[in-house]
Amino acid sequence: MLKTLKRALLLPVRLLLALLILFEEWGYQPLARLMARLGRLPVLRQLEDLITRLPPAAALAVLLLPALLLLPVKLLALLLIGSGRFGLGLSLVILAKLAGTAIVARLFQLTRPALLRMAWFARCYASWTIWKSGLLSWLRASEIWRWGRLFKRRLRRFMRA
């Protein structure tokens, strides 16, 4: 009984995590491509070349920098929401999330070779990749996923009719 209860309680957590990862990946690739296009600008090309030559520890610092820089923006958004300016605060959160994802996606592409030279990072990245693949496989095999795909197909047919 305890095992069944644990499974029932973990189901919503697994589902939420899987959906968050899917949402993040949905935006990750297009935003990384956009940032790569911007990276062709002469000034940014030079900066990207510099980033690709960083040693592992510096590459990690560069990768973490956007999260630290966006933290005050996100706190401001929460302050706005708390003071009754929900629309402005929510817009700021969404904008910060999009900008942060775009920047981190590109920075990770540039710093990944250096980061993977750190043994602990390579182990964590491999474990993360395996865990994420398993979680997404579980989601894609679920009844909820099948229902969502069926709903999407029906909605498309309805919109075409």
Side-chain angles (χ1 to χ4, degrees):
M1 179 168 139
L2 189 58
K3 201 175 218 181
T4 306
L5 181 61
K6 182 180 175 184
R7 191 176 301 144
L9 291 174
L10 283 178
L11 179 66
V13 173
R14 286 183 83 190
L15 183 60
L16 181 62
L17 284 173
L19 291 174
L20 284 171
I21 290 169
L22 277 174
F23 180 74
E24 191 79 21
E25 286 189 355
W26 172 74
Y28 182 90
Q29 291 301 324
L31 291 172
R33 284 192 300 272
L34 171 68
M35 293 303 288
R37 272 189 249 130
L38 288 175
R40 291 186 213 139
L41 296 171
V43 172
L44 292 179
R45 188 176 333 125
Q46 291 174 341
L47 182 60
E48 285 189 355
D49 288 341
L50 177 69
I51 290 170
T52 59
R53 289 184 267 125
L54 289 173
L60 182 61
V62 164
L63 185 64
L64 295 175
L65 191 60
L68 293 173
L69 293 176
L70 286 173
L71 184 62
V73 175
K74 291 177 181 178
L75 291 174
L76 174 62
L78 288 176
L79 181 68
L80 289 169
I81 291 169
S83 66
R85 301 181 75 188
F86 182 79
L88 183 58
L90 183 61
S91 299
L92 191 55
V93 167
I94 291 169
L95 183 63
K97 182 64 178 160
L98 286 172
T101 299
I103 293 167
V104 169
R106 185 63 184 154
L107 286 175
F108 187 67
Q109 287 176 336
L110 297 171
T111 60
R112 184 172 39 203
L115 294 170
L116 290 175
R117 290 197 315 250
M118 294 187 284
W120 68 268
F121 188 90
R123 281 191 309 273
C124 289
Y125 184 68
S127 296
W128 161 255
T129 303
I130 291 167
W131 179 82
K132 181 179 78 166
S133 295
L135 182 65
L136 294 179
S137 294
W138 167 81
L139 179 65
R140 289 180 177 121
S142 71
E143 190 66 33
I144 294 169
W145 187 263
R146 285 189 289 267
W147 181 85
R149 292 195 64 185
L150 178 64
F151 178 76
K152 182 179 166 184
R153 279 193 300 268
R154 287 181 178 171
L155 185 61
R156 279 186 180 166
R157 275 190 233 137
F158 175 76
M159 297 302 279
R160 288 183 194 145

